[in-house]
Amino acid sequence: MASYQDIIGKLYEIAPSFQSVGRAAFHPGTDSMVRFMEHCGNPHERWDSIHVAGTNGKGSVSHLLASLLSCGRMRMKVGLYTSPHLIDFRERMRIVYLDEQGNARCEMISEEEVVRFWEENQDYILAQRPSFFEITTAMAFDWFARIDIDIAVVETGLGGRYDSTNVITPILSVITSIGLDHQNILGSSYREIAFEKGGIIKEGVPVAVGKVNNEALGVLRSIAIESDSPFADSSFESFIDPNEDMIVENMDLRSAVQRVNLRTVSASVMMLSELYGMDVIMEPEPLIHAAEITKLHGRWEKLSDYPEVICDIGHNEEALSYTMKQLEVAAAGRKLHMILGMASDKDIKSAARYYPKNAYYYYTNAKGTRAMKSELLRKEVDSIRCEAGVSPEYSSSEYFNTVEEAVNRVMSIADSDDMVFIGGSSFVVAEALPLFLG
C-alpha cells in the first residue's frame, strides 16, 4: 500500500492544482463531478449542507458558520470543506464539534482516510483524470458521509455555476461578496461575475447575500426570483446584531472586513432559524473564537510581536481596500516592511494603488508556474509607486526568488518596534506561515 506522502505526490503529479498552474487546472462544468459522485455512491446526498460562494469573505464566513453551528447551542457535528490549504493539504477537509466534556474540537481528515480514498478510487481517477479540485471535493464528500456528519459547510472553489461543489443541493446558499477577480474565467463585469457566483442558487433554496453593489445585487435577486428562492440581503439594518460591536472588538479574526462577514453570517442565521426552525442564534463565544476553534489562518494573523509581523491573504481590489486601510492605522509612526508576491493572472495596477507608499518593499514569488516572478513584480509595482510620488527614502526595493529568502532578509534587518506585512497572495502567506509557526 502506498504511503500518504506518496499519494499526495501522485495527486499533484497527475492533477496539478489551480494554486500551481492557474486556469489550466480548471475544468468548467459539473458533468465530470456528477460522474465522480455516482462512482462514489453519491455521498453528498447523505448529509445537509450550506453552500458558500463569493469573491471575498467566503472562507471566513464558512469558518464562522461552522464554529457557530458546532460550538453554539446547536452542537452539530459539522463538516467543513474549504480551499486552498495554507500549510497542510488536509486543512481542506475538517470536522468541527464539541466533545463529551463540551470542549471544541477541530480535526482534519486523517492520513489514513486519504490513503483509503485513493486506494479505492485510483483506477477511476487514473482513467477519467478528474481535476485536482474534483478529486479533493469527492474525497471530502465521501469522508463526510463515512463519519456521519450533521451538516457540511461547503466553500466553492472558483465561481459557482460550474464549480465542482455545485453538485450539492444545500439547505442554504450564501454569497458573501462580488468583486472583480478571476476575470479571465468568470467575466469582466460585476454582472457577469454575479451570474457565475449566483449559479449556486437552487430551486426553492433560501439565499443569504453579503455586501454587494447594486449591479450585482440585481442579478442575484433576479436569479432568486426565477428560482423561487427566499432572499436575504445583509445590508438591511435588521441584520445588525445587538452584540455586533462587542463581537467584532474581541474576535480572533481581526481583519477589518470581519464586520461585513458578520452581517452575512447574521443573515444566514436568520434564514436558518426562521425558515427551518433551527435553534441557532448569533452566540458571541463561537464567533469570537472562530479562528481558534476551526484553526483558520491567514486573516490579519499576527505571527510575531517584535517586530510585529502580520500576514493576510487578501489580494484583490475589494479585499485590499479594507486591509491596507487597517495596515495604515496599525503601522502609523513605525517603519513598515512589505513582503509582497502576486499571481501572474492578477490585476497588478488595481492592487498596487492600495499598497502604502511610505514603506520598504521586498518582492518575492511563491512556488509554482502561476506566481509572477519577483523581478518583474518589482518593476511593475515600483513603477506605479513612483508615479504616485513615493519619497526618495522609500524608492529603493529588493527582490528574492523565494518567500523564505525574503522573510529571512526582513527579519534580519527589522528593528523590534518595526512592522512587517506579508501578503499579496494566499500562496505567499502559505509559504511564510511555517517559517513562524514551525
Side-chain angles (χ1 to χ4, degrees):
M1 179 180 290
S3 70
Y4 167 76
Q5 291 299 337
D6 288 341
I7 288 170
I8 294 300
K10 185 70 173 177
L11 179 59
Y12 280 108
E13 177 187 338
I14 67 169
S17 68
F18 188 85
Q19 172 180 350
S20 300
V21 300
R23 184 170 184 167
F26 180 59
H27 287 190
T30 58
D31 290 348
S32 173
M33 193 65 200
V34 168
R35 292 192 298 270
F36 203 167
M37 286 291 91
E38 289 173 348
H39 166 78
C40 294
N42 291 319
H44 60 299
E45 296 178 355
R46 292 158 55 188
W47 33 263
D48 287 332
S49 61
I50 297 172
H51 204 184
V52 185
T55 304
N56 294 300
K58 63 182 184 290
S60 293
V61 167
S62 294
H63 283 257
L64 287 164
L65 285 169
S67 183
L68 190 63
L69 292 170
S70 62
C71 298
R73 62 174 65 187
M74 292 295 293
R75 297 180 69 99
M76 298 176 105
K77 185 178 183 181
V78 181
L80 179 60
Y81 179 58
T82 60
S83 61
H85 63 275
L86 293 181
I87 301 174
D88 188 321
F89 166 82
R90 296 178 299 137
E91 291 170 28
R92 294 168 178 260
M93 303 153 235
R94 317 180 205 212
I95 53 169
V96 191
Y97 63 98
L98 288 178
D99 64 19
E100 293 180 356
Q101 288 73 43
N103 300 312
R105 300 293 185 192
C106 179
E107 298 174 6
M108 297 184 293
I109 187 173
S110 68
E111 292 184 1
E112 291 75 17
E113 278 291 323
V114 174
V115 172
R116 179 202 60 78
F117 181 83
W118 174 264
E119 293 290 343
E120 291 182 3
N121 297 282
Q122 64 174 318
D123 290 345
Y124 180 91
I125 293 170
L126 294 174
Q128 300 299 321
R129 295 295 173 128
S131 71
F132 180 90
F133 191 68
E134 286 170 336
I135 295 170
T136 61
T137 302
M139 186 183 297
F141 289 2
D142 178 72
W143 181 53
F144 291 162
R146 284 173 60 83
I147 60 176
D148 196 25
I149 61 169
D150 296 312
I151 195 169
V153 179
V154 177
E155 178 192 9
T156 62
L158 184 64
R161 186 164 63 109
Y162 290 140
D163 191 77
S164 301
T165 62
N166 206 27
V167 294
I168 63 175
T169 299
I171 64 170
L172 175 68
S173 301
V174 182
I175 300 172
T176 59
S177 66
I178 301 295
L180 300 179
D181 200 5
H182 298 296
Q183 291 164 267
N184 60 329
I185 297 175
L186 302 180
S188 59
S189 69
Y190 289 103
R191 180 177 295 276
E192 290 174 318
I193 295 173
F195 178 73
E196 293 299 328
K197 304 284 186 184
I200 70 166
I201 298 173
K202 303 292 197 305
E203 188 74 26
V205 175
V207 186
V209 175
K211 185 178 181 181
V212 301
N213 64 24
N214 289 334
E215 182 179 358
L217 185 62
V219 172
L220 297 175
R221 194 183 294 276
S222 294
I223 296 173
I225 291 172
E226 292 174 5
S227 302
D228 196 25
S229 299
F231 191 87
D233 173 6
S234 69
S235 64
F236 292 141
E237 290 189 5
S238 59
F239 297 120
I240 301 176
D241 188 86
N243 295 316
E244 181 179 287
D245 289 340
M246 182 274 290
I247 293 171
V248 171
E249 289 170 6
N250 292 282
M251 288 175 74
D252 55 9
L253 285 171
R254 302 188 186 282
S255 57
V257 75
Q258 295 305 336
R259 186 181 294 273
V260 174
N261 291 334
L262 203 62
R263 296 271 177 91
T264 308
V265 172
S266 180
S268 302
V269 165
M270 186 279 289
M271 294 294 237
L272 293 172
S273 60
E274 290 193 3
L275 297 180
Y276 293 102
M278 295 174 65
D279 189 20
V280 54
I281 61 171
M282 295 288 285
E283 296 172 83
E285 287 301 303
L287 297 171
I288 288 171
H289 301 292
E292 178 186 0
I293 290 169
T294 65
K295 306 296 188 290
L296 178 61
H297 290 289
R299 277 70 171 180
W300 196 265
E301 182 176 2
K302 182 183 285 191
L303 303 177
S304 171
D305 288 311
Y306 305 104
E308 183 177 6
V309 179
I310 297 293
C311 70
D312 194 274
I313 66 170
H315 55 268
N316 54 45
E317 200 169 354
E318 180 189 28
L320 291 173
S321 67
Y322 286 95
T323 307
M324 291 301 108
K325 286 179 183 177
Q326 187 172 0
L327 181 61
E328 181 181 0
V329 173
R334 293 194 280 175
K335 186 184 292 185
L336 175 61
H337 305 266
M338 298 284 294
I339 298 175
L340 192 67
M342 291 184 69
S344 58
D345 55 359
K346 297 302 178 184
D347 184 349
I348 296 176
K349 290 185 178 180
S350 294
R353 66 191 182 95
Y354 289 98
Y355 291 126
K357 291 190 295 183
N358 297 331
Y360 298 93
Y361 279 76
Y362 311 81
Y363 300 103
T364 187
N365 47 257
K367 299 171 185 175
T369 58
R370 190 178 167 216
M372 173 171 284
K373 294 301 181 183
S374 57
E375 186 175 8
L376 177 58
L377 180 63
R378 178 194 193 191
K379 291 178 181 178
E380 293 280 348
V381 178
D382 277 359
S383 174
I384 296 169
R385 292 174 61 228
C386 288
E387 289 177 5
V390 64
S391 63
E393 178 185 358
Y394 301 103
S395 59
S396 62
S397 61
E398 301 178 45
Y399 70 94
F400 302 87
N401 293 323
T402 69
V403 173
E404 183 173 7
E405 289 174 352
V407 169
N408 288 342
R409 168 61 174 164
V410 172
M411 296 305 287
S412 71
I413 62 175
D415 293 332
S416 61
D417 58 350
D418 289 354
M419 187 164 191
V420 179
F421 181 84
I422 304 173
S425 164
S426 59
F427 313 127
V428 169
V429 171
E431 291 186 29
L433 282 169
L435 303 176
F436 293 92
L437 303 180

